[in-house]
Amino acid sequence: MKVFKNLRKKLIEDKKIRSYIPYAIGEIILVVIGILIALAINNANLRSIKSQKERVYLEGLHKEFSTSKSKLSELIQVNKNNYEGAKKIVKYMDQSSLTVSEKELSHHLFTSLAFDISFNPNNSLLLEMMSSASLKDLSNSELRVRLTNWLSTLEDITNQEADLRVQREKILDIFRNQYSIRTVFDQAGVSENEIGIGLKKNFKSNLALLNSLEFENNLLLFILTSIATEKSHYQPLMIELEIILSLLEREIGS
């Protein structure tokens, strides 16, 4: 640059204006080229940083949604066990010729009503990305839309689970007021194996429950709500979850 500076000074001192003009234009062109090269290098660095950041997000989201898929699969099975056990109890109530022992009834009651269901997906990274407006760093527009809609879909799931919880509590209230939970625990092996208490010597039978219209009505509503939770909410949610995982895997592999 010192050489160019000296040459420019000499041309001006010698008043060679015509010779200086092409030189000045050439110098300007060199400066512009230098700026463009610097901008290109800077943009390339920014793209590299953005690409690395996006990959970290993609891999983190894939890990979260894979865990959520496992949780949802387990929850679907628990819910299925709940309503299938309840259906067996209804079958005993429908057919008076079928005999059921206290132990069998207790087993079905425990299987159907002991486990509340609630889907708790892993969303920590997704929530962090949304709060920091980092979803824009994902280049796949379909993936961004599905991730945005994911949280609103979970709100619908939560509302449905709340309805199911209400139906379950209504059945449990019948037990609390009229029948023996201790008998169910004793006969199902919960008292000894889970709680660590002995069996009650004189237990109160719950077989009269099979003749309760109130119990049957609430049990049927519980079954219906459980099936609706699976078919109208969990299964579509699983499909959406698998689509998101597929998009994440495609982006990670690209």
Side-chain angles (χ1 to χ4, degrees):
M1 294 302 294
K2 187 176 182 181
V3 174
F4 290 125
K5 182 178 180 182
N6 292 334
L7 179 59
R8 181 172 65 248
K9 182 178 180 182
K10 187 175 186 306
L11 288 172
I12 293 174
E13 289 175 351
D14 293 343
K15 298 182 179 179
K16 297 180 178 180
I17 302 300
R18 291 184 178 180
S19 299
Y20 172 72
I21 291 175
Y23 163 79
I25 294 173
E27 188 175 11
I28 293 172
I29 292 174
L30 287 176
V31 171
V32 172
I33 291 174
I35 293 173
L36 292 175
I37 291 174
L39 287 174
I41 294 173
N42 183 62
N43 289 337
N45 290 335
L46 290 176
R47 285 195 297 270
S48 177
I49 293 172
K50 183 178 182 297
S51 178
Q52 293 175 6
K53 184 179 180 182
E54 181 179 11
R55 187 169 187 86
V56 170
Y57 281 146
L58 291 170
E59 291 177 349
L61 288 169
H62 186 272
K63 183 177 181 181
E64 281 195 350
F65 276 86
S66 295
T67 302
S68 296
K69 181 181 178 181
S70 298
K71 287 184 176 181
L72 183 58
S73 296
E74 293 177 4
L75 194 61
I76 289 174
Q77 188 58 53
V78 171
N79 184 59
K80 188 177 185 66
N81 291 340
N82 286 353
Y83 71 72
E84 287 295 342
K87 284 163 66 176
K88 290 178 181 178
I89 297 173
V90 173
K91 185 176 180 180
Y92 288 126
M93 301 178 78
D94 286 344
Q95 302 180 34
S96 57
S97 60
L98 294 177
T99 58
V100 58
S101 67
E102 195 75 49
K103 187 172 183 178
E104 287 176 311
L105 178 60
S106 295
H107 171 74
H108 294 318
L109 287 169
F110 183 78
T111 301
S112 304
L113 302 170
F115 304 102
D116 192 12
I117 62 170
S118 179
F119 182 46
N120 296 307
N122 288 30
N123 284 329
S124 56
L125 177 57
L126 178 58
L127 291 172
E128 177 187 328
M129 290 177 65
M130 295 190 73
S131 64
S132 61
S134 296
L135 275 181
K136 67 179 185 300
D137 293 324
L138 302 181
S139 55
N140 189 308
S141 58
E142 181 185 356
L143 179 59
R144 291 198 304 270
V145 171
R146 289 188 179 276
L147 289 174
T148 302
N149 293 338
W150 173 256
L151 295 179
S152 61
T153 302
L154 292 180
E155 292 181 8
D156 294 336
I157 298 294
T158 300
N159 292 334
Q160 177 65 20
E161 289 174 340
D163 291 340
L164 181 56
R165 193 171 299 113
V166 169
Q167 299 302 327
R168 176 175 173 269
E169 284 298 319
K170 287 181 179 179
I171 298 174
L172 292 177
D173 284 341
I174 297 175
F175 259 90
R176 295 186 183 101
N177 297 327
Q178 304 176 41
Y179 298 93
S180 174
I181 294 178
R182 176 64 181 273
T183 298
V184 174
F185 284 1
D186 285 357
Q187 296 295 316
V190 178
S191 295
E192 290 184 310
N193 300 330
E194 302 296 333
I195 303 178
I197 59 176
L199 301 179
K200 193 173 183 179
K201 293 182 179 180
N202 299 316
F203 67 86
K204 177 182 178 181
S205 175
N206 290 320
L207 291 177
L209 189 68
L210 299 176
N211 297 318
S212 171
L213 181 60
E214 181 185 7
F215 177 77
E216 182 181 34
N217 289 340
N218 284 286
L219 192 62
L220 288 171
L221 290 173
F222 173 75
I223 293 171
L224 182 62
T225 308
S226 297
I227 294 175
T229 301
E230 177 185 332
K231 293 185 176 181
S232 300
H233 296 271
Y234 286 160
Q235 289 180 358
L237 186 67
M238 178 62 80
I239 292 173
E240 181 63 24
L241 204 157
E242 289 174 343
I243 291 174
I244 291 174
L245 280 173
S246 177
L247 290 171
L248 287 169
E249 290 164 2
R250 188 190 309 168
E251 291 300 306
I252 291 173
S254 63

